[in-house]
Amino acid sequence: MNYIHTSNVVISMKKFIVFLCMLVMPLNVWAYSDEVILGGKTIGIDIKSDGIMIIGFYKVDGKYPKSDLKEGDYIIKIGNSTVNTIAELTEAIENNMNDKNEVLITYLRNNKESRTTLELIKANDMFKTGLYVKDSITGIGTLTFIDPESRIYGALGHEIIEGNTSKIIEVKTGTIFKNSITDIIESRDGTPGSKNAKFYYGKNYGDITKNTKYGIYGRYDDNFENGKLIEVADSSEVKIGPAKIYTVLSNEEIEEFEINIIKINENSDIKNITFEIADEKLLKETGGIVQGMSGSPIVQNGKLIGAVTHVITDNVKMGYGLFITTMLEESEK
């Protein structure tokens, strides 16, 4: 079956405990809280990438400019000038072009730094690069938990990727912020729907420090004193049978919906929980799982067991979830 992430990302311009023992003393033990603040709140997400991602190429005057660059590379320097935004990139190219109409580019590919020259081609009295680039990404997702002691939060349960290249966005800076759900585009088999939201950029909840395959993480700086504390379940406590998810379908109201867990896979890296929606209200309003639900907490027997991460596109009433212990462990790295 096909599946996709259930965050709704709109592009804007990118365990086990390990013991190394002396006698029986563990060297590294996870120390996350036994209780966390239950999420379910929809959050706006804004990430500025670490460098400028190349997402494609276009022909200038009938040909592609010469270089060794590929989709997914991050441009970090033009000549000796560090660049982090498209405005900085444009200015640096203008200031560093040589007599051969070339610029020296330093770029990252798979975290390895390399250099190449990029040919600039003049067309319509302008020098053009032939590059499509992005320096940021904006979208929505769902908050999963906040650790009340460290104030570290986790959300989404999966990585944010750039849609054209399918490459993970390397975070330079980022924020999560207030939004309000305005309407839902319903899911249909083969075509997952999505949440649409109004963004309140001036109301930040916290920063984003990590974008990993297990979610996004950072420090939650807004008020959560009235948040509901919930006990964390170990993966061994998760059972086939009824459970609940918490998510927002309208404005900022967190609602509780019934699901059935039909399969548990402790050996999978990310698809630990397979579930189906059992709540008629949720099905009536959304048609199934929609993009923007990523990170919605999954609760069973009064304990937080995981987070919604993917919708199965062939049957949008079904989806996957990630164990909460994986997210908590990732938050401490």
Side-chain angles (χ1 to χ4, degrees), residues 130 168 225 280:
I168 189 168
E225 278 70 17
E280 290 300 322

Side-chain angles (χ1 to χ4, degrees), residues 279-295:
D279 196 293
E280 290 300 322
K281 179 186 176 183
L282 183 58
L283 290 173
K284 182 178 179 180
E285 295 193 27
T286 67
I289 302 165
V290 297
Q291 297 178 75
M293 283 186 181
S294 280

Side-chain angles (χ1 to χ4, degrees), residues 8-54:
N8 182 19
V9 175
V10 181
I11 304 302
S12 60
M13 225 341 248
K14 170 318 172 73
K15 192 172 274 179
F16 23 89
I17 300 169
V18 178
F19 293 97
L20 296 177
C21 300
M22 294 180 61
L23 300 177
V24 292
M25 182 67 69
L27 179 65
N28 185 20
V29 179
W30 304 116
Y32 53 76
S33 299
D34 294 332
E35 292 184 323
V36 296
I37 302 294
L38 180 66
K41 175 189 294 187
T42 299
I43 53 173
I45 298 166
D46 184 56
I47 293 179
K48 301 295 187 292
S49 62
D50 189 8
I52 300 162
M53 178 183 277
I54 298 171

Side-chain angles (χ1 to χ4, degrees), residues 214-272:
Y214 303 123
I216 61 170
Y217 302 88
R219 179 180 170 84
Y220 196 89
D221 293 323
D222 199 47
N223 184 358
F224 58 77
E225 278 70 17
N226 294 324
K228 177 184 176 182
L229 275 174
I230 188 168
E231 190 175 348
V232 172
D234 185 74
S235 59
S236 63
E237 298 179 71
V238 182
K239 306 298 180 184
I240 290 174
K244 300 174 183 179
I245 63 171
Y246 291 79
T247 199
V248 175
L249 299 186
S250 179
N251 297 318
E252 299 175 63
E253 181 185 359
I254 301 172
E255 297 183 73
E256 174 185 293
F257 299 102
E258 301 291 332
I259 64 170
N260 283 321
I261 296 174
I262 58 177
K263 184 179 179 181
I264 299 164
N265 188 350
E266 294 202 45
N267 296 320
S268 175
D269 199 23
I270 55 174
K271 294 184 286 184
N272 305 126

Side-chain angles (χ1 to χ4, degrees), residues 1 32 51 60 110-111 137 140 148 154 164 168 183 219 227 231 252 255 259 282 295 310 313 325:
M1 293 183 179
Y32 53 76
V60 181
N110 299 323
N111 293 318
I137 188 168
I140 67 172
N164 293 281
I168 189 168
D183 62 283
R219 179 180 170 84
E231 190 175 348
E252 299 175 63
E255 297 183 73
I259 64 170
L282 183 58
H310 299 82
T313 57
T325 46

Side-chain angles (χ1 to χ4, degrees), residues 100-118:
K100 297 180 180 180
N101 299 332
E102 297 173 335
V103 290
L104 177 65
I105 292 182
T106 304
Y107 63 95
L108 294 176
R109 181 180 299 161
N110 299 323
N111 293 318
K112 182 179 179 181
E113 188 173 304
S114 300
R115 289 187 177 133
T116 187
T117 56
L118 172 66

Side-chain angles (χ1 to χ4, degrees), residues 51-106:
I52 300 162
M53 178 183 277
I54 298 171
I55 63 166
F57 301 89
Y58 64 90
K59 289 183 179 180
V60 181
D61 199 21
K63 65 177 183 178
Y64 293 106
K66 296 178 182 177
S67 76
D68 295 325
L69 298 170
K70 295 182 178 180
E71 287 186 2
D73 290 345
Y74 282 89
I75 298 172
I76 57 174
K77 283 185 180 181
I78 302 294
N80 292 320
S81 301
T82 299
V83 292
N84 286 298
T85 68
I86 291 172
E88 291 175 352
L89 175 69
T90 301
E91 182 179 0
I93 288 174
E94 291 176 353
N95 294 336
N96 286 276
M97 187 169 58
N98 62 24
D99 294 338
K100 297 180 180 180
N101 299 332
E102 297 173 335
V103 290
L104 177 65
I105 292 182
T106 304

